Amino acid sequence: MRPTEPTQAVAERASIGSECRGIPIRTPDLANRYLVIPNTALSEPTVSIEVVADNSLTREMLCGFLGSEDDFVVIRGVSWNEADRRSGAVPPDVIVLDIDEISSGAVRITRSLIRAFPDAAIVVLNSGGPGHVLYDMLEIGVRCFLHKGISRTELVTSIRGVASVENQITVTVPREFLTCGGPSSRGRLSAREEQVVRLVGEAMTNRQIANALSITEGTVKRHLRSIFDKLGAVSRIDAVNRYRTLEGRQDSA
């Protein structure tokens, strides 16, 4: 049976020729020798996430299951109104927007979030609607557009993807969502909507437009909401300018 080696000899062999990387610990009896202990406590990179959803139950569910991922940290969950008023907050890596209906107001707030947090990847969860809203959102800077029919795994994978690859754009939607609303059909107004937007361009009020077309003011407002959504406009002037640009392209085609 071999005699037990002196502690000094063990320490010398552990320190000489060791290829381990870690925390050096000075041995008490060797002034110039180190015993290297591997450091396995290196932290994994994390993705900080903000969730924006008006429905409190949806917001809590998203915050809950995203926060359960080891590499995700949910720093806050807010409503759309709160998101619009909070420009000085700590910037997240990813902002998840739950949008049931992509209206002109939702587009405006999304734009403001992109301006406030230019380095954050915007992820939109949408339940469906006119196909052109996908292209509208991608145009203003949204990096990930997902249909709410996706699985939890697909959502988590998509968030990791846009967080790790700066120029990546991820789209997961049903096929019909694209075929019914591609660029060729974007901004296509009905004949009545074209009449309304042209009268808006003449600086007419809703009441004046209603009188001119023999319809109610409520009908004028409904037409304007549809016009705003189809053109991605945020104001009456913006709608007129977008319509004129679109009309000019169609005339030159």
Side-chain angles (χ1 to χ4, degrees), residues 28-57:
D29 56 340
L30 296 174
N32 299 315
R33 306 288 189 182
Y34 292 89
L35 178 63
V36 179
I37 299 177
N39 182 8
T40 58
L42 298 177
S43 60
E44 294 291 332
T46 58
V47 179
S48 60
I49 300 174
E50 173 178 320
V51 174
V52 180
D54 268 340
N55 185 286
S56 58
L57 180 59

Side-chain angles (χ1 to χ4, degrees), residues 149-198:
I150 64 171
S151 67
R152 167 177 173 163
T153 301
E154 288 173 314
L155 174 58
V156 169
T157 301
S158 297
I159 291 175
R160 288 194 181 111
V162 296
S164 60
V165 184
E166 184 176 353
N167 295 322
Q168 176 170 305
I169 293 177
T170 301
V171 177
T172 304
V173 294
R175 182 181 297 275
E176 60 269 19
F177 195 91
L178 297 175
T179 57
C180 70
S184 62
S185 64
R186 291 183 60 214
R188 186 174 296 170
L189 306 183
S190 66
R192 178 64 85 185
E193 288 168 349
E194 289 187 348
Q195 289 178 319
V196 170
V197 75
R198 285 170 181 164

Side-chain angles (χ1 to χ4, degrees), residues 88-240:
V90 177
D93 298 318
V94 175
I95 302 177
V96 178
L97 307 179
D98 178 78
I99 310 177
D100 285 325
E101 179 182 354
I102 299 184
S103 61
S104 57
V107 173
R108 176 182 59 79
I109 296 175
T110 303
R111 279 199 182 110
S112 70
L113 287 172
I114 291 172
R115 287 194 299 267
F117 306 112
D119 295 328
I122 304 294
V123 176
V124 169
L125 290 174
N126 181 244
S127 57
H132 67 80
V133 299
L134 163 62
Y135 300 93
D136 290 338
M137 284 299 192
L138 295 180
E139 274 190 0
I140 66 175
V142 167
R143 300 234 327 256
C144 183
F145 192 98
L146 307 173
H147 191 270
K148 286 188 180 181
I150 64 171
S151 67
R152 167 177 173 163
T153 301
E154 288 173 314
L155 174 58
V156 169
T157 301
S158 297
I159 291 175
R160 288 194 181 111
V162 296
S164 60
V165 184
E166 184 176 353
N167 295 322
Q168 176 170 305
I169 293 177
T170 301
V171 177
T172 304
V173 294
R175 182 181 297 275
E176 60 269 19
F177 195 91
L178 297 175
T179 57
C180 70
S184 62
S185 64
R186 291 183 60 214
R188 186 174 296 170
L189 306 183
S190 66
R192 178 64 85 185
E193 288 168 349
E194 289 187 348
Q195 289 178 319
V196 170
V197 75
R198 285 170 181 164
L199 294 177
V200 170
E202 296 176 13
M204 295 179 65
T205 65
N206 287 355
R207 177 172 295 182
Q208 290 171 331
I209 294 172
N211 292 336
L213 300 178
S214 300
I215 57 179
T216 66
E217 285 188 62
T219 301
V220 174
K221 291 178 181 179
R222 283 195 297 274
H223 284 315
L224 284 173
R225 283 196 295 270
S226 177
I227 291 167
F228 280 23
D229 288 344
K230 288 181 178 180
L231 298 181
V234 296
S235 68
R236 295 167 76 94
I237 294 176
D238 189 28
V240 171

Side-chain angles (χ1 to χ4, degrees), residues 3-22:
T4 304
E5 294 180 284
T7 303
Q8 179 173 340
V10 175
E12 286 180 355
R13 283 213 309 274
S15 61
I16 298 173
S18 174
E19 297 180 355
C20 296
R21 295 182 179 179

